[in-house]
Amino acid sequence: ETVGNALAPTACPDVDECSTGTHSCHANASCANTNGSFTCACNEFAYTGDGVSCTLTGRCELGLDNCHVKATCSSAANLTFACACDAGFSGDGVNCADVDECVNGTHNCDATVGLCTNSFGSFTCECDPGEVGYTDRDGDGLVCEDRNECTLDIHDCDENADCINTGGSFTCECRAWDYSGNGTYCNATGACILEEDNCPREVANCISTETSFTCNCTTGRSGDGFSCVDIDECNLCTNNCDLEAECINTDGSFTCDCNQGYEGNGTTCVDVCTSGNNTCH
């Protein structure tokens, strides 16, 4: 800009020599940008100097320490150093011994059937191969999942038994009152299964009990199980037909038909004029 007839100097932006790589710091020094310049500092403890020239003096870097082979050496001030045992080892850094995570319980193997095997400085996990009712989810022994033999249909339950999954296994139970046995074999003992009842099977269901049986009218009928009559859902208004549908009673049930000018399945009917399924102009 101008001030009077003279040009006023404009501010010059700072050049970051550190980010542009135009500094003169030593390779083992850190560069810190300043306004219009920069500073250099030798890496602490490992090197000494003015930052432009750095001399290796760290005890660890020079190999002048006595840290254990399984320990990490850290150079410190005044040409000293510190030793710390690596993960999986314990001690003072000069002497380091393997930590048995399996024995002291610091592993993360599956708590149910996971097996821990100690190794030098670490450990491995696996799901107990003897526990066939479990699978290794990720192949690392950290999560052993129960295998549901019932849903996988790999059980040996009788066709007239219920399979019940358990942790790592399953049980079989013959269907109560109709069958008896150990679950893998079920013998028909129920009155209904043996057809020792007198239920009117066309309109009632037979249910075996511990010592006898009961007869229950099927859905859509009412009665004592021996005499069952049709329930008229239309007259009793116990149907689910749409308000724009006609309820038609049937033997043991009912049907719904949408009224003229409406379409749908009977339980839901929509006006053909609003549904778009019409030939109106």
Side-chain angles (χ1 to χ4, degrees), residues 115-160:
L115 296 180
C116 178
T117 303
N118 188 62
S119 60
F120 190 59
S122 188
F123 62 94
T124 58
C125 305
E126 67 172 331
C127 296
D128 188 345
E131 295 287 348
V132 295
Y134 290 88
T135 58
D136 194 332
R137 189 186 69 181
D138 303 314
D140 54 12
L142 301 184
V143 179
C144 303
E145 292 184 329
D146 171 56
R147 183 172 60 168
N148 192 325
E149 296 85 355
C150 299
T151 58
L152 293 173
D153 198 25
I154 53 175
H155 58 82
D156 59 349
C157 297
D158 188 274
E159 62 179 354
N160 294 306

Side-chain angles (χ1 to χ4, degrees), residues 16-29:
D16 189 339
E17 297 85 355
C18 298
S19 61
T20 60
T22 56
H23 60 83
S24 58
C25 296
H26 191 272
N28 292 302

Side-chain angles (χ1 to χ4, degrees), residues 8-272:
T10 57
C12 296
D14 174 58
V15 174
D16 189 339
E17 297 85 355
C18 298
S19 61
T20 60
T22 56
H23 60 83
S24 58
C25 296
H26 191 272
N28 292 302
S30 58
C31 177
N33 187 63
T34 61
N35 188 24
S37 187
F38 62 91
T39 60
C40 304
C42 295
N43 295 340
E44 190 177 24
F45 306 141
Y47 295 85
T48 57
D50 59 6
V52 175
S53 176
C54 297
T55 302
L56 180 64
T57 55
R59 302 297 92 178
C60 300
E61 290 73 18
L62 290 172
L64 300 177
D65 63 276
N66 62 340
C67 297
H68 191 273
V69 66
K70 289 299 182 180
T72 300
C73 179
S74 300
S75 295
N78 301 319
L79 302 181
T80 60
F81 61 91
C83 304
C85 294
D86 297 337
F89 296 87
S90 64
D92 59 7
V94 175
N95 296 291
C96 297
D98 173 55
V99 174
D100 191 334
E101 296 86 355
C102 301
V103 172
N104 63 27
T106 56
H107 63 83
N108 60 341
C109 300
D110 184 85
T112 305
V113 295
L115 296 180
C116 178
T117 303
N118 188 62
S119 60
F120 190 59
S122 188
F123 62 94
T124 58
C125 305
E126 67 172 331
C127 296
D128 188 345
E131 295 287 348
V132 295
Y134 290 88
T135 58
D136 194 332
R137 189 186 69 181
D138 303 314
D140 54 12
L142 301 184
V143 179
C144 303
E145 292 184 329
D146 171 56
R147 183 172 60 168
N148 192 325
E149 296 85 355
C150 299
T151 58
L152 293 173
D153 198 25
I154 53 175
H155 58 82
D156 59 349
C157 297
D158 188 274
E159 62 179 354
N160 294 306
D162 295 318
C163 178
I164 303 168
N165 187 61
T166 61
S169 188
F170 63 94
T171 60
C172 305
E173 292 183 2
C174 295
R175 292 180 186 126
W177 314 137
D178 281 330
Y179 298 89
S180 62
N182 61 8
T184 56
Y185 173 77
C186 297
N187 183 44
T189 54
C192 298
I193 299 299
L194 296 174
E195 297 185 354
E196 296 175 348
D197 64 280
N198 60 346
C199 298
R201 295 297 183 96
E202 65 278 4
V203 293
N205 295 320
C206 179
I207 301 173
S208 297
T209 62
E210 184 175 7
T211 57
S212 185
F213 64 91
T214 60
C215 304
N216 290 345
C217 294
T218 57
T219 302
R221 304 178 190 279
S222 64
D224 60 5
F226 297 98
S227 175
C228 301
V229 297
D230 174 58
I231 297 173
D232 191 337
E233 297 87 354
C234 298
N235 286 335
L236 293 175
C237 295
T238 56
N239 61 81
N240 62 341
C241 296
D242 190 272
L243 292 176
E244 293 297 340
E246 177 187 6
C247 178
I248 304 169
N249 188 61
T250 61
D251 187 30
S253 187
F254 63 93
T255 60
C256 306
D257 288 341
C258 293
N259 296 332
Q260 186 175 4
Y262 291 83
E263 63 180 6
N265 59 9
T267 58
T268 301
C269 300
V270 295
D271 192 324
V272 294

